[in-house]
Amino acid sequence: TAFEAAATECRVPLKTIAVTEPEAVRLYERSLVLVRPDGHVAWRANQAPPNARAVVDKVRGAVA
């Protein structure tokens, strides 16, 4: 995915998991969710962003 490519470029570890449990899907409220290792939801949407690298950079603190 674009997120996986962006994370690889930035040398950020990323694990992709398909969540199918109805309770978890309801909890996250969106079909795509980026969760930090500390459990904080850093980004979520129903479709991929036009620029995944920009999202990864924002989440990792590389941009203000």
Side-chain angles (χ1 to χ4, degrees):
T1 69
F3 270 117
E4 291 167 326
T8 298
E9 275 183 37
C10 297
R11 296 183 177 159
V12 173
L14 177 71
K15 183 177 182 180
T16 303
I17 300 170
V19 178
T20 58
E21 294 83 13
E23 186 175 326
V25 173
R26 198 169 37 256
L27 174 70
Y28 288 121
E29 300 176 342
R30 303 289 184 278
S31 57
L32 301 172
V33 183
L34 182 60
V35 182
R36 298 186 329 200
D38 64 0
H40 177 82
V41 174
W43 174 89
R44 62 185 167 179
N46 286 323
Q47 60 185 10
N51 187 343
R53 172 68 186 260
V55 174
V56 171
D57 281 344
K58 178 79 170 179
V59 170
R60 69 187 183 99
V63 296

